[in-house]
Amino acid sequence: MDILLIAGLWLDGGSAWDDVVPELAALGHRPVPVALPGQGDGDSSATLGDQLAAVLAAVDATPGKPVVVGHSAAATLAWLAADARPAKVAKAVLIGGFPAEDGRAYADHFAIEDGVVPFPGWAPFEGPDAADLDEAARDRIASTAVPVPEGVARGVVRLTDERRFDVPVVLVCPEFTPAQAEEWIAAGESPELARVARLDHVDLDSGHWPMVTRPRELARVLAEAATPADDR
C-alpha cells in the first residue's frame, strides 16, 4: 500500500519521516514523504494552495488508492486531499491533529514575523506535547525547524465535496487519549470529524512528535491502518 506522509508545521516534508520510512518499508508498504512547498525548499512565498497541489500530485501519482497521513496541522492537508479526491484516497490518518473547517485559516495561532511563522520554541508545547522529548530530540527538532510561510499559515481552508465524509479516518491519539478525542468531538470541537461515517481512534503513548520519539510504534500504527481488515 502507498502511504503518503505529510509533515506538520516547521518540519521538513521529507526528512521528518526519516526514522519512519524504513520501518514502514520493512512492514511491506511503500512510504512516500510529501515535499511541501515552503517547508524545506526555502520558498517563503509558498501558499496553502501550493502545498495542497503537492499533496494532490502525490495522490494522483500513485497507481492505486493511497492512505494519506497528516501530522498535526497537516491533518487539514490530508482532509483537503480526501475532499478533493474522495474516490482516490483509501483512508485518511490524522496524527495528533484535527482538520480545520471550511472558511477557517489553516494555522493562524502563532505569530507572523517578516512573512513567516518561525518555530516558537518549546514554551507553547510544555506538558503532554513535549513530555517524551529528551534534550537531544528537542535539539533535533528545533535545529531543523523550517519557518512556515505566512501564505500557508493564513491560507483559508476550502472544503467542497461532502463525499469526503465517506472516506474512512483513523485518528492517532499521541499526547491525548481516544477518550479525550471522543469527548472533544462530541462537544462540537471538530465538526468535520463528527460527520465522518467511519472514524477509528488509535492510542499511541507518545508526545506530539512520535515520528521522532516512537518511529517504530508509529510505523506499526500506520501499517495497521493501511492493511485491509480481511488481510489482518
Side-chain angles (χ1 to χ4, degrees):
M1 174 73 76
D2 289 287
I3 302 178
L4 308 185
L5 303 167
I6 313 170
L9 300 180
W10 307 297
L11 300 177
D12 176 87
S15 64
W17 304 98
D18 280 355
D19 295 337
V20 177
V21 164
E23 299 288 346
L24 276 173
L27 292 169
H29 296 282
R30 192 171 83 91
V32 182
V34 178
L36 296 175
Q39 285 182 228
D41 62 358
D43 182 7
S44 61
S45 67
T47 66
L48 179 62
D50 295 331
Q51 292 200 347
L52 177 58
V55 172
L56 294 181
V59 170
D60 294 340
T62 60
K65 297 175 66 173
V67 170
V68 181
V69 178
H71 168 253
S72 190
T76 296
L77 276 172
W79 194 231
L80 283 165
D83 178 73
R85 301 288 190 274
K88 175 71 172 176
V89 173
K91 187 175 292 185
V93 180
L94 316 179
I95 304 170
F98 298 81
E101 305 161 57
D102 180 67
R104 298 288 297 273
Y106 177 66
D108 64 347
H109 32 277
F110 295 96
I112 304 287
E113 298 179 15
D114 298 323
V116 297
V117 182
F119 179 66
W122 292 110
F125 306 110
E126 293 301 347
D129 283 0
D132 67 337
L133 294 174
D134 58 20
E135 287 305 314
R138 288 178 181 233
D139 289 345
R140 172 182 171 185
I141 294 172
S143 66
T144 59
V146 179
V148 179
E150 180 178 5
V152 173
R154 291 187 172 171
V156 177
V157 173
R158 295 300 182 195
L159 298 164
T160 62
D161 195 332
E162 294 211 345
R163 290 180 297 166
R164 68 185 179 276
F165 297 118
D166 294 325
V167 176
V169 175
V170 174
L171 179 60
V172 180
C173 305
E175 72 272 22
F176 52 86
T177 67
Q180 287 175 308
E182 290 173 355
E183 180 180 339
W184 296 333
I185 293 169
E189 295 186 29
S190 182
E192 287 295 309
L193 293 189
R195 296 183 62 189
V196 169
R198 179 181 170 187
L199 174 62
D200 295 316
H201 301 76
V202 177
D203 195 20
L204 179 61
D205 184 17
S206 75
H208 191 63
W209 292 271
M211 68 278 289
V212 174
T213 60
R214 301 285 189 276
R216 178 168 295 180
E217 293 85 347
L218 177 59
R220 288 173 179 165
V221 166
L222 298 180
E224 181 77 7
T227 302
D230 293 343
D231 296 338
R232 294 176 187 169

